[in-house]
Amino acid sequence: NAGVIQTPRHKVTGKGQEATLWCEPISGHSAVFWYRQTIVQGLEFLTYFRNQAPIDDSGMPKERFSAQMPNQSHSTLKIQSTQPQDSAVYLCASSLQGGDTQYFGPGTRLLVL
Amino acid sequence: DAKTTQPDSMESTEGETVHLPCSHATISGNEYIYWYRQVPLQGPEYVTHGLQQNTTNSMAFLAIASDRKSSTLILPHVSLRDAAVYHCILRSNNNNAPRFGAGTKLSVKP
């Protein structure tokens, strides 16, 4: 079991560019969660899918951020027109059903210059 | 899910037994108590969870108060590798995703 896989592990992008982050959940897990972590804000919830359907996106910034889960094997988080304040570690987690134990990936460290 | 309260930081020395408290005064009957820990440059790692009874595994012992309004994660004989931020959160099997607070930063001295 490879655990939750996140790619890329590091991404540097210029202000105004687009960034796409990938997450591959543990095989058989039906729930995928996205979080963002910074020193100032801590670990912030962004969005949550279960069986590929969006369940809770209340943490997603209203503009520029979007997430999809086109199939059960991966989810993407897209940030359009990136800004320096988007710099953070983006963490993906999966769980078997949703209300149970989450398993986190290593995160993608995004730096917007 | 209900909110939890934890101390910002705690210090310990190698070999000691550490008690990490968590208060959850408004916990609902169907909410589980989960503990995760996070070291720098890694995602949170599951430690343990419980509903009402105390639980134990290879990593820790979870003591849950009889009224369930508080819990304590007990780490026996800590080592330097146990230095981490420990998060206490509540989960119920519903459509709400878990929110993490700042957790307790545990420092371990040699």
Side-chain angles (χ1 to χ4, degrees), chain A residues 32-44:
Chain A
V32 168
F33 307 81
W34 284 96
Y35 293 84
R36 174 171 66 179
Q37 187 166 34
T38 61
I39 293 175
V40 174
Q41 297 294 334
L43 193 52
E44 297 178 279

Side-chain angles (χ1 to χ4, degrees), chain A residues 1 13 44 100 105:
Chain A
N1 189 340
T13 186
E44 297 178 279
D100 52 346

Side-chain angles (χ1 to χ4, degrees), chain A residues 6-58:
Chain A
Q6 290 189 250
T7 54
R9 291 294 308 276
H10 303 270
K11 184 173 183 64
V12 180
T13 186
K15 181 180 174 181
Q17 294 186 331
E18 183 178 286
T20 300
L21 312 180
W22 290 66
C23 171
E24 181 179 329
I26 293 172
S27 178
H29 282 194
S30 67
V32 168
F33 307 81
W34 284 96
Y35 293 84
R36 174 171 66 179
Q37 187 166 34
T38 61
I39 293 175
V40 174
Q41 297 294 334
L43 193 52
E44 297 178 279
F45 166 74
L46 294 176
T47 189
Y48 159 36
F49 294 87
R50 191 171 66 232
N51 295 320
Q52 299 170 232
I55 301 298
D56 180 1
D57 66 353
S58 59

